[in-house]
Amino acid sequence: MIRKMSRKNVLVGLAAAGVLGVGIAAPAVALADNKTPAPRASADQGTDRQHKRADRQAEFAEALAKELGVPTDKVTAALEKLKEQRKGDRPERPSAQERQAKLKEWQANRQAKLKERLDQAVKDGKLTQEQADAVLKAVEAGVFPGPGARVHHGGWDQAGK
């Protein structure tokens, strides 16, 4: 038994098939045209970043030389000279030992403030001494997030307020 379809039903079916086809084909085309290089290891990223920066600086020096009407090597030398002069103006980064000492100091301050708040909560009757001791033990064990932890809005306050 063949049922005759109305023109409206045929058009609706073709439109739905077209939308479905585009929905399936678009991601496939997008993935096929993706010319983004695959991510490299972090060590390679550092050198790659340095190469890209050097390339940008060379392009800048060439454009500046062309605009000023002077040789590129003169502009490059002048830019390097300025870069070296400015390097002295920037503060030095702390060493790994200095950063580690600062972190330990921060953690000690954080624990001292927490102990003060817990002692006050015990005094106010909000916590028992056993509960306060359990919290301190958990902090010492590293259960709670510290510096560098991924914190979402409404999460832990890492500024030590």
Side-chain angles (χ1 to χ4, degrees):
M1 194 163 135
I2 298 176
R3 188 174 137 206
K4 191 173 181 183
M5 295 180 66
S6 71
R7 178 175 277 164
K8 182 179 174 183
N9 287 342
V10 170
L11 290 175
V12 169
L14 287 174
V19 169
L20 182 62
V22 169
I24 292 172
V29 170
L31 288 174
D33 285 345
N34 188 0
K35 295 180 182 171
T36 306
R40 297 179 180 166
S42 61
D44 290 341
Q45 285 178 348
T47 57
D48 190 36
R49 185 177 293 142
Q50 290 169 346
H51 289 300
K52 286 181 180 179
R53 183 175 182 182
D55 290 344
R56 283 194 311 269
Q57 288 175 345
E59 289 174 15
F60 175 71
E62 284 180 35
L64 187 58
K66 183 178 177 183
E67 185 69 28
L68 296 174
V70 294
T72 305
D73 57 338
K74 256 188 166 178
V75 172
T76 303
L79 289 173
E80 284 299 320
K81 181 180 174 184
L82 288 172
K83 183 178 174 183
E84 288 301 316
Q85 287 175 351
R86 295 246 175 178
K87 192 180 272 188
D89 296 342
R90 284 183 270 166
E92 285 190 37
R93 288 185 168 182
S95 68
Q97 289 98 359
E98 291 170 333
R99 287 193 308 269
Q100 191 66 25
K102 192 172 184 176
L103 173 64
K104 287 189 184 292
E105 179 185 345
W106 181 85
Q107 287 172 333
N109 288 339
R110 179 177 178 239
Q111 251 181 306
K113 288 179 183 179
L114 176 63
K115 183 159 178 27
E116 289 174 17
R117 291 196 318 263
L118 289 172
D119 288 344
Q120 186 62 46
V122 169
K123 189 189 292 185
D124 294 344
K126 294 179 181 179
L127 290 177
T128 65
Q129 187 60 50
E130 293 79 28
Q131 290 171 326
D133 292 341
V135 170
L136 283 175
K137 188 174 182 180
V139 168
E140 290 169 2
V143 173
F144 297 108
R150 297 204 182 267
V151 178
H152 301 286
H153 293 288
W156 294 97
D157 177 21
Q158 293 185 16
K161 293 181 183 175

